[in-house]
Amino acid sequence: MTVLVTIGICVRNCEKFIEDAIKSVVNQDFPKKKMEMIFVDDGSADRTLEIIKDFASKAEIKTKAFHQGRQGLGVARNVVVKNAGGQYIIWLDGDMKLSRNHIRKQVEYMELNPRVGVAKARYGFVKSKKLAAVLENSRAFDLRPNDPKLVGTGGSIYRVEAIREVDGFDENIKGAGEDIDALIRMLKNGWLFSRTDAEFYEEFKETWSS
């Protein structure tokens, strides 16, 4: 069975959350033989890479794991883009979890909408008193069609053809913003952005300083 969707997980120092992120993929109601997971560890100094290797050694899902020195998200994401065997990439951060039907809903949407290059899922509502969680959840109502600033990567599905067509992510952009830059280039190439009703969940920091 041909791989249809690649789960791209670019991480650094996520030992507290990465296991839950992985479990949320393993528990999907989507055929495991149609999925693959690509991990890129960007210079973790904790047990993140160890946890990933342990999972890869006994995974039912086809898994590739890469480790690099601290080179940044642009480089890490391009490792996923270059090695993806699927027609789609779903980006999962190390501190995120997917709802059980997330992959199925995302893929079904893309299959029905061939001009959509990127589709964003919705922030799942979490019961939290943390202000950061409240603010993130409020963004679920703020995604305007074809607005790169509000799409990003986490919780989004990318059509591999679309991201490869613009030569992936700019590796010279450091810190953040590599996703917005790539989205702008896809938009200029005629690809559309949209959203689906799939959900994902994020862990939130306890304080503003953290």
Side-chain angles (χ1 to χ4, degrees):
M1 189 177 290
T2 304
V3 169
L4 182 60
V5 59
T6 298
I7 314 301
I9 309 177
C10 302
V11 293
R12 183 171 64 237
N13 297 333
C14 290
E15 65 176 9
K16 291 182 179 180
F17 309 118
I18 187 64
E19 191 169 342
D20 286 339
I22 292 171
K23 286 179 180 177
S24 77
V25 176
V26 172
N27 293 330
Q28 290 292 302
D29 65 352
F30 191 82
K32 289 181 172 58
K33 291 183 178 180
K34 289 188 176 182
M35 292 191 290
E36 68 176 358
M37 298 177 73
I38 299 182
F39 294 91
V40 184
D41 180 78
D42 190 44
S44 288
D46 61 4
R47 294 182 58 253
T48 299
L49 184 59
E50 179 185 336
I51 294 168
I52 290 170
K53 287 181 176 178
D54 181 63
F55 166 78
S57 69
K58 52 192 178 187
E60 295 181 58
I61 301 171
K62 182 179 180 181
T63 302
K64 303 172 187 175
F66 298 87
H67 175 69
Q68 61 186 32
R70 195 164 176 174
Q71 297 184 52
L73 275 173
V75 176
R77 295 202 191 283
N78 279 340
V79 171
V80 176
V81 173
K82 291 171 184 175
N83 289 278
Q87 295 178 35
Y88 309 106
I89 297 171
I90 289 179
W91 298 102
L92 177 65
D93 295 339
D95 58 354
M96 283 174 45
K97 292 183 287 189
L98 304 178
S99 62
R100 190 169 184 273
N101 57 12
H102 180 101
I103 293 175
R104 175 174 56 81
K105 285 190 171 186
Q106 292 281 69
V107 171
E108 287 176 352
Y109 183 87
M110 296 297 276
E111 294 278 88
L112 291 171
N113 295 276
R115 289 310 303 160
V116 172
V118 181
K120 179 78 169 184
R122 298 175 183 272
Y123 285 89
F125 282 85
V126 293
K127 292 182 179 179
S128 175
K129 295 181 180 179
K130 301 172 189 174
L131 183 56
V134 175
L135 292 176
E136 288 285 11
N137 279 329
S138 70
R139 292 176 60 193
F141 299 103
D142 196 31
L143 180 58
R144 295 180 291 275
N146 299 324
D147 186 347
K149 297 188 297 298
L150 297 174
V151 180
T153 47
S156 293
I157 182 169
Y158 278 46
R159 195 176 298 274
V160 170
E161 176 189 358
I163 186 63
R164 285 181 177 168
E165 195 177 87
V166 298
D167 298 321
F169 297 87
D170 188 338
E171 299 183 1
N172 295 312
I173 297 176
K174 304 301 180 183
E178 84 294 333
D179 49 356
I180 296 174
D181 171 77
L183 289 162
I184 290 171
R185 287 184 279 120
M186 281 188 273
L187 190 61
K188 289 179 178 177
N189 269 22
W191 292 101
L192 304 176
F193 305 154
S194 188
R195 74 175 312 156
T196 72
D197 60 357
E199 291 187 345
F200 66 97
Y201 308 90
E202 288 186 332
E203 294 289 341
F204 297 98
K205 304 297 185 183
E206 294 288 345
T207 65
W208 284 114
S209 60
S210 62

